[in-house]
Amino acid sequence: MNRLDAYFIGLVFAHLGVVLVHTTAHLALQILPAPPDTAFILAVILTGPVATLPILRFNPTLASALLTVVMAAAFAYGFPGHFLIAGPDQVAIVGSHAWTMVFVATAVGIGILELASIAVGVTLFGRSVRNPSGHPAPPR
């Protein structure tokens, strides 16, 4: 396993952990998503990144492409909802509550982890495409 693989795995697990804490804050603050949003959150934000992990071992090109797409979709969904669009999910609107800081901090953390995952996914994809064996060339 090379360094990029380790970053890939670490980012996926860090993202999962922060998303689970953020979900707990959502529930504590009684900010519940609509059913279509729930389906997207479960499929793309929770399951998508974790599903790339077993693929990474056998097909790093596919795994890195999938991670990049899933994290980009998650960021495109979460960033506007948490920071741009007025609504119950926006961090500036959430009322003062014991879970408010957790909600805000995890929203920021999720965004940072998604951007970092996109960067690692793009880098790993580029290296695996340049090296047809399917395993990224070692960094120089």
Side-chain angles (χ1 to χ4, degrees), residues 51-80:
T52 65
L53 293 174
I55 300 169
L56 179 64
R57 177 167 171 83
F58 302 104
N59 192 338
T61 306
L62 177 61
S64 58
L66 183 60
L67 182 70
T68 301
V69 168
V70 166
M71 290 298 200
F75 185 81
Y77 172 84
F79 182 77

Side-chain angles (χ1 to χ4, degrees), residues 15-136:
H15 181 263
L16 177 62
V18 175
V19 166
L20 292 175
V21 174
H22 187 73
T23 301
T24 303
H26 262 275
L27 295 173
L29 294 168
Q30 298 180 3
I31 303 170
L32 304 176
D37 293 319
T38 301
F40 181 86
I41 292 164
L42 290 173
V44 175
I45 298 174
L46 278 170
T47 308
V50 175
T52 65
L53 293 174
I55 300 169
L56 179 64
R57 177 167 171 83
F58 302 104
N59 192 338
T61 306
L62 177 61
S64 58
L66 183 60
L67 182 70
T68 301
V69 168
V70 166
M71 290 298 200
F75 185 81
Y77 172 84
F79 182 77
H82 285 123
F83 300 101
L84 301 177
I85 300 170
D89 206 23
Q90 189 186 44
V91 296
I93 296 175
V94 177
S96 181
H97 186 277
W99 281 93
T100 300
M101 280 307 292
V102 174
F103 182 81
V104 172
T106 54
V108 171
I110 290 168
I112 291 168
L113 290 166
E114 287 166 352
L115 290 174
S117 297
I118 292 166
V120 167
V122 167
T123 303
L124 186 60
F125 181 80
R127 288 187 182 171
S128 64
V129 167
R130 284 192 298 270
N131 185 1
S133 71
H135 297 284

